[in-house]
Amino acid sequence: DRRRDSPAAGSPIQPIIKDVGEVYSRLLDHRPVIQGEIRYFVKEFEEKRGLRELRVLENLKNTIFETNERVLPKCEQAMRDNLSETFKRLQAANAVIHRLQEREYETRKLQADKVMAREEKCIAHWEEFMKEQQNKRAEVDEEHRKAMERLKEQYSEMEKELAKYVSF
């Protein structure tokens, strides 16, 4: 249809256009070559590889199915059983630790009470000691005052006697 409508139809330029089209298709149009290479590659791939990928995918599918249907439920059940047992053990250990902490708390409280009682006893003993010391100090001060008065009296008497002898 194009040849009939083209303005160069029947003219001497037509063989040149035909040659240019042929050169273009041989040098620049790579579609036929690429399509041939693609067909060759697909043919070689299918012949050499065969159905190996299909078999590998089928084996993979079977492995996944078996894992989902058999292995996974067994693992889940084993996990539930072991987690239940582990949880019970943890609760028992937690209870034992709690009891030990309570005992240690009670022991420390008892020791703290004993220390506090000793401190109170020591404080009471110290206060008693200090009162006793103050009483003794007061006694010593009183004795000292009395001794000073006696000495003063004695010295004043001695002075009086001396004064008697000085008048000679």
Side-chain angles (χ1 to χ4, degrees):
D1 293 335
R2 241 205 268 173
R3 289 185 185 165
R4 288 186 212 159
D5 295 338
S6 78
S11 71
I13 199 160
Q14 187 175 6
I16 295 173
I17 293 175
K18 186 177 178 185
D19 287 340
V20 169
E22 203 172 299
V23 168
Y24 169 77
S25 69
R26 285 188 178 187
L27 292 177
L28 301 174
D29 190 14
H30 300 294
R31 283 180 286 171
V33 174
I34 292 174
Q35 287 176 354
E37 287 296 320
I38 290 172
R39 278 192 228 109
Y40 175 74
F41 177 78
V42 169
K43 181 181 171 188
E44 286 292 315
F45 185 79
E46 286 177 352
E47 286 178 3
K48 288 184 179 177
R49 302 287 293 221
L51 300 174
R52 189 175 355 160
E53 280 77 22
L54 187 61
R55 279 184 267 132
V56 168
L57 289 174
E58 187 67 31
N59 288 341
L60 186 60
K61 179 183 145 194
N62 290 339
T63 303
I64 291 172
F65 180 77
E66 183 178 338
T67 301
N68 284 338
E69 294 297 319
R70 294 186 188 125
V71 176
L72 190 61
K74 286 180 185 177
C75 288
E76 286 178 352
Q77 187 61 38
M79 185 177 67
R80 283 190 191 113
D81 293 344
N82 289 334
L83 282 178
S84 175
E85 183 179 332
T86 303
F87 184 70
K88 289 176 185 175
R89 286 182 180 178
L90 283 174
Q91 284 180 330
N94 193 20
V96 168
I97 289 172
H98 185 67
R99 283 194 304 269
L100 286 173
Q101 285 178 334
E102 285 179 357
R103 285 183 198 159
E104 187 172 335
Y105 174 74
E106 289 173 5
T107 303
R108 286 185 181 185
K109 186 178 178 188
L110 185 62
Q111 289 175 348
D113 291 345
K114 286 180 182 178
V115 167
M116 195 66 124
R118 276 190 232 133
E119 284 180 8
E120 289 174 359
K121 185 177 178 182
C122 284
I123 289 172
H125 183 69
W126 180 256
E127 287 175 357
E128 183 181 324
F129 174 76
M130 290 306 288
K131 284 180 184 177
E132 188 178 310
Q133 291 301 315
Q134 285 177 353
N135 291 338
K136 286 183 180 180
R137 179 179 164 203
E139 286 176 13
V140 167
D141 286 346
E142 184 62 30
E143 283 181 30
H144 181 264
R145 188 185 60 74
K146 286 180 183 178
M148 290 291 288
E149 284 181 21
R150 276 194 311 254
L151 282 174
K152 279 183 184 178
E153 286 178 17
Q154 184 180 357
Y155 281 121
S156 68
E157 281 181 27
M158 286 171 84
E159 268 183 32
K160 286 181 187 175
E161 280 186 34
L162 254 170
K164 286 183 192 177
Y165 294 117
V166 171
S167 51
F168 298 91

